[in-house]
Amino acid sequence: MRPSSLDAETMSIPLNEKKHSEAPLIAFTLCMPAAVGIAALAALLGFRTPGVAACLLAAASLSLATVGMLASVFHLAKPLRAPFSLRHLSSSWLSREIVAVAAFWLFDAAWLLGCLLPDDAVLVAGEGLAATSGVALLFVITRAYHVSTRPAWTGVEGLLELVAAACGAGSGVVLLCLFCSLALEGLGAAPSATSIVEPALFAARLATLCAAQIAAFALDVASHRLRRVRLAAMAEASDERIPLTLANYDKLQPMLRKAWTVEGMAVVMTCIFCAVAAIHAIASPETVGTDSLFAPNGSLVAMGICLALASLQFAAHGLQRWLFYEIPVPVRFVAALRK
């Protein structure tokens, strides 16, 4: 008789004890990918010289990486013992995750240092290494969640969701930094805004950020489709852990649809806003930095809109991360019945 044919109530006992808050891990797996997304997009969009925008991007990435790193430490029962986990670097993906996080944080710090000195070489090296190590970090985080007792976490979907958070939340912060730099330029806190905003380049950057958010939404939807298909294919030959997970997945569908709705709204509104800004910049290049959307008051309004859009992205991906931890159904198996 296959294990799947046994009654779930006689074969295992669901873990009903009080659940620990996953808030620190949600913060870690949201803030860290967002920081990676900022670094990757900054490198892709060509912020390779010191300036207000580059400094803001580096500072935002480093700040989010710091929040994520602190959140992961506070999740540990004994935070002061975290360094001892490095002894298992050759066999533990969790140990490798600690090293990867530290490396990304150091490269982020070097990137910001290059912006502040200013030093083009340090900036380019720090930005490039932060982007490269960040991509590797997302893979390492995914591998750390490959736990046999949580089949919902063992597929490629976990990596897709982290990449989606990097693209969605990261692009939201990049957009905010772009318009913050315009506001600072317009208020006289830095040189002329025209040194940062070339209309064609500005429009191309906005189009890239819109594409990143659309890709993030597609990845989020695809990840859940793939996870359900994978679990359903495994259900017949499995014990009751997967059927219980699928049943729980069904209960969480309303919250999943809410997350998709919030993210979809953020994507649509971002694309509309970026289209208006790009058209304005291209149609009236002589007014960039002096009029309308790019004037001090206009930039402040645009900055407020970008802050709202970035908040929507973080809310949507925060819900996605919460769902990631809620989908599995913890089960304690009775050893005698598993023989």
Side-chain angles (χ1 to χ4, degrees):
M1 181 180 293
R2 293 197 308 268
S4 58
S5 63
L6 293 177
D7 184 1
E9 293 183 358
T10 61
M11 180 165 177
S12 66
I13 304 172
L15 295 177
N16 295 320
E17 61 259 22
K18 184 178 179 181
K19 292 175 60 176
H20 296 289
S21 172
E22 301 293 355
L25 289 181
I26 291 172
F28 171 70
T29 55
L30 175 60
C31 292
M32 202 58 73
V36 171
I38 295 168
L41 286 168
L44 178 64
L45 296 176
F47 290 96
R48 298 186 179 90
T49 56
V52 178
C55 286
L56 289 176
L57 289 168
S61 183
L62 183 61
S63 298
L64 285 169
T66 302
V67 171
M69 187 165 59
L70 291 175
S72 67
V73 171
F74 284 124
H75 180 75
L76 300 174
K78 297 179 179 180
L80 295 179
R81 295 181 62 86
F84 292 103
S85 63
L86 297 178
R87 292 178 299 182
H88 308 292
L89 191 60
S90 62
S91 60
S92 170
W93 281 100
L94 185 58
S95 297
R96 295 166 189 164
E97 179 185 84
I98 294 173
V99 173
V101 167
F104 175 71
W105 190 93
L106 288 173
F107 292 140
D108 249 2
W111 176 22
L112 180 59
L113 182 63
C115 292
L116 296 176
L117 284 177
D119 188 308
D120 287 6
V122 175
L123 186 157
V124 171
E127 180 185 71
L129 289 170
T132 304
S133 65
V135 173
L137 171 60
L138 296 185
F139 174 77
V140 173
I141 292 174
T142 303
R143 289 294 302 168
Y145 279 97
H146 277 217
V147 183
S148 60
T149 56
R150 301 288 189 275
W153 293 350
T154 57
V156 70
E157 310 88 32
L159 179 58
L160 294 182
E161 288 163 357
L162 290 180
V163 172
C167 291
S171 62
V173 176
V174 172
L175 184 65
L176 175 60
C177 289
L178 285 178
F179 279 89
C180 282
S181 69
L182 287 174
L184 290 172
E185 292 278 353
L187 292 171
S192 170
T194 54
S195 65
I196 293 179
V197 185
E198 251 183 54
L201 177 60
F202 183 69
R205 285 172 170 170
L206 294 183
T208 301
L209 295 178
C210 289
Q213 294 206 1
I214 293 171
F217 184 71
L219 287 173
D220 274 330
V221 174
S223 68
H224 288 282
R225 303 294 187 196
L226 289 172
R227 181 180 284 118
R228 288 189 66 87
V229 169
R230 179 175 62 83
L231 292 175
M234 296 168 59
E236 184 178 353
S238 77
D239 51 49
E240 77 280 10
R241 186 184 294 124
I242 291 180
L244 286 173
T245 298
L246 285 170
N248 192 47
Y249 218 152
D250 290 336
K251 294 179 182 178
L252 293 170
Q253 286 302 300
M255 187 59 69
L256 177 58
R257 284 191 287 271
K258 288 181 181 178
W260 285 348
T261 299
V262 174
E263 186 175 3
M265 289 172 54
V267 172
V268 171
M269 289 189 290
T270 297
C271 289
I272 293 173
F273 173 78
C274 288
V276 172
I279 291 171
H280 175 83
I282 293 173
S284 305
E286 71 281 357
T287 66
V288 175
T290 61
D291 187 41
S292 187
L293 185 66
F294 303 102
N297 291 338
S299 293
L300 289 174
V301 172
M303 186 173 63
I305 294 173
C306 292
L307 178 60
L309 294 173
S311 298
L312 281 176
Q313 281 288 346
F314 271 81
H317 288 286
L319 281 173
Q320 292 278 2
R321 301 316 304 158
W322 177 81
L323 285 165
F324 177 81
Y325 293 104
E326 286 294 313
I327 291 168
V329 177
V331 173
R332 180 175 62 233
F333 288 94
V334 180
L337 293 179
R338 299 219 9 112
K339 294 181 180 178

